[in-house]
Amino acid sequence: MPPRTIPVSMPDLSGHEQAYAAEAVASTWISSSGPFLDRFEREFAAACGTPHAVATSNGTTALHLALATLGVGPGDEVIVPAMTYIATANAVTYCGATPVFVDIDPETWCLDPRRIEAAITRRTKGVIPVHLLGHPADMDPIAELARTHGLWVVEDAAEATFARYKGRPVGSLGQAATFSFFGNKIITCGEGGAVTFADPGLERRMRMLRGQGMDPARRYHFPIVGFNYRLTNVAAAILCGQMERREAIVARRREIVALYAAELAGVPGIGLRTDAPWAETAPWMAACLVEPGRFGCVRDDLAATLADRGIDTRPMFIPIHRLPPYEPAARKRRTDLPVTDRLGSLGLMLPTYPQLTDNDVRHVCHSIGAIGAAALRRRRAAAARRVAADDAAAARLPRAA
Ligand SMILES: Cc1ncc(COP(=O)(O)O)c(C=O)c1O
């Protein structure tokens, strides 16, 4: 019997999610206010160690809302990694500002604090470190640099909900932090997001901007141009169910990533990220680097062969400075991001979700090992055939006198 298909991701909605969503529907509070929304914002803020959380329609709108609330506008520059999902840079662009790309650290795969200062100009207003794939960025030196230069820090924690940095929850480490609750994220409601922050001065403006700019004290009076970035009470109900099981969800994701690391450790040409000693990760996706020389084939051929065997994977993000909307400006700035480019061309994301069994993980790792070994055998056989052909050709040459 062929092994079952293994998707790259799957939401785990096995707790009270369905019952709470049904309760929201039965109550008729299905739009953007209701008790589940209040409960989710309260519980999520507490889990992130911040006084405030504002729920949004997705992680991209959370980013845009955070930047708009901080007053980012035309002419501003914002430092971001290029190794992230496109939304991080797009949110800066929505504000009319310019994302300036800085390389990542080869150990953490997150924004490299040693490379930020060289990118700061008099236009720079802030920095967006991304906690890539669930591993926190090294926030202390980033916060220190930001303080020195009078910049804000917004954490993009879309892939790292409930991770911790030196014991402190992500979401509490900058002026604001943003989260995604898309279907493949650590907790999900299909589409959703949130912004967390400590400064009470931001809350009124953020809630107004989220709700079309309406004055909370005067219905249909809009003193500013806002957006409709609200989350529904039905979606918040699903998130309340997820919040109840968040510790188990994160723990299982950590076990899965540890098992991948153990099983892939001996496979030639497969590289893995090791967690920094100060990181408590909340793994979004397990990932590995495929070094073609030692592994036997390139990343995309490995992914295609895994797909033939029913195992779904994702290539690492294409670095944003290589994508059409951003490439011309990056070239003009002579943007050179070797660590980002290497991860972009060698990185492969592997199936990661709580329902994945240990045997599934072993099956994925065994398949990777077998595909690499077969590719190496084919390569050695081709090299041997070339040598034999060269020897035969040499034998046909006239002998020297
Ligand atoms: C780092 C990062 N930022 C932002 C987002 C955007 O989140 P959403 O898809 O909920 O808009 C994502 C989503 O995948 C992400 O990975």
Side-chain angles (χ1 to χ4, degrees):
M1 196 173 68
R4 70 181 179 88
T5 299
I6 299 181
V8 75
S9 161
M10 194 193 291
D12 172 1
L13 304 167
S14 56
H16 289 130
E17 290 82 357
Q18 214 177 332
Y20 290 167
E23 193 181 319
V25 172
S27 75
T28 74
W29 288 93
I30 58 168
S31 279
S32 46
S33 53
F36 283 114
L37 263 171
D38 298 340
R39 173 176 155 189
F40 173 68
E41 288 188 341
R42 206 173 46 245
E43 290 182 2
F44 193 69
C48 294
T50 55
H52 307 284
V54 169
T56 61
S57 50
N58 58 61
T60 309
T61 54
L63 273 164
H64 186 201
L65 184 63
L67 301 187
T69 304
L70 289 166
V72 179
D76 294 345
E77 291 179 359
V78 177
I79 291 173
V80 298
M83 177 42 65
T84 174
Y85 185 61
I86 188 83
T88 317
N90 280 352
V92 176
T93 306
Y94 298 160
C95 297
T98 303
V100 173
F101 300 109
V102 164
D103 213 352
I104 52 170
D105 179 290
E107 305 295 325
T108 65
W109 300 356
C110 299
L111 199 58
D112 188 340
R114 295 163 300 190
R115 306 203 175 269
I116 292 175
E117 196 148 33
I120 295 174
T121 70
R122 58 189 173 76
R123 292 176 181 270
T124 310
K125 291 295 185 305
V127 186
I128 310 181
V130 176
H131 304 310
L132 195 77
L133 308 179
H135 187 296
D138 191 1
M139 292 300 291
D140 279 351
I142 294 174
E144 181 58 37
L145 265 172
R147 254 192 308 278
T148 308
H149 292 274
L151 311 176
W152 48 253
V153 175
V154 170
E155 303 169 70
D156 183 343
E159 302 174 6
T161 311
F162 311 127
R164 286 175 173 262
Y165 172 76
K166 299 184 180 174
R168 290 175 278 150
V170 308
S172 66
L173 306 170
Q175 273 62 43
T178 64
F179 295 84
S180 165
F181 308 128
F182 183 66
N184 63 10
K185 292 299 189 297
I186 290 160
I187 60 166
T188 183
C189 56
E191 292 275 6
V195 188
T196 56
F197 53 97
D199 179 356
L202 297 179
E203 185 168 24
R204 184 182 150 86
R205 181 171 162 81
M206 194 175 297
R207 289 192 185 277
M208 277 179 74
L209 282 171
R210 182 184 65 169
Q212 302 281 26
M214 191 162 78
D215 184 343
R218 194 172 161 206
R219 191 160 284 278
Y220 303 130
H221 181 242
F222 299 90
I224 54 173
V225 175
F227 320 102
N228 179 356
Y229 285 173
R230 299 178 298 246
L231 187 74
T232 68
N233 193 48
V234 181
I238 297 171
L239 286 172
C240 287
Q242 295 268 281
M243 287 295 282
E244 290 172 353
R245 292 181 306 110
R246 66 181 186 274
E247 280 166 18
I249 290 172
V250 172
R252 180 63 193 145
R253 285 176 169 274
R254 282 197 191 126
E255 281 172 7
I256 288 167
V257 169
L259 189 56
Y260 272 122
E263 295 284 323
L264 290 173
V267 179
I270 293 293
L272 296 159
R273 171 168 71 178
T274 46
D275 296 349
W278 38 255
E280 282 169 62
T281 60
W284 175 49
M285 287 283 174
C288 65
L289 294 177
V290 184
E291 309 262 7
R294 289 181 54 233
F295 181 69
C297 67
V298 295
R299 185 262 319 265
D300 292 349
D301 289 346
L302 168 61
T305 315
L306 286 169
D308 290 344
R309 294 178 175 214
I311 299 169
D312 199 13
T313 60
R314 291 286 179 277
M316 193 60 73
F317 301 125
I318 299 171
I320 298 179
H321 69 300
R322 302 283 176 198
L323 294 171
Y326 296 102
E327 196 265 346
R331 193 159 12 94
K332 216 157 138 195
R333 275 182 179 265
R334 298 177 190 278
T335 305
D336 180 28
L337 310 176
V339 186
T340 298
D341 280 332
R342 185 176 140 77
L343 185 56
S345 57
L346 304 185
L348 185 68
M349 300 191 227
L350 304 172
T352 314
Y353 48 94
Q355 305 94 313
L356 205 62
T357 67
D358 287 3
N359 276 344
D360 290 335
V361 176
R362 289 193 191 98
H363 170 62
V364 174
C365 297
H366 181 259
S367 302
I368 292 173
I371 292 165
L376 281 176
R377 273 197 305 278
R378 277 197 304 277
R379 186 187 285 173
R380 284 194 200 107
R385 278 197 301 277
R386 270 198 306 276
V387 170
D390 287 351
D391 285 352
R396 284 195 297 274
L397 290 175
R399 285 169 193 273

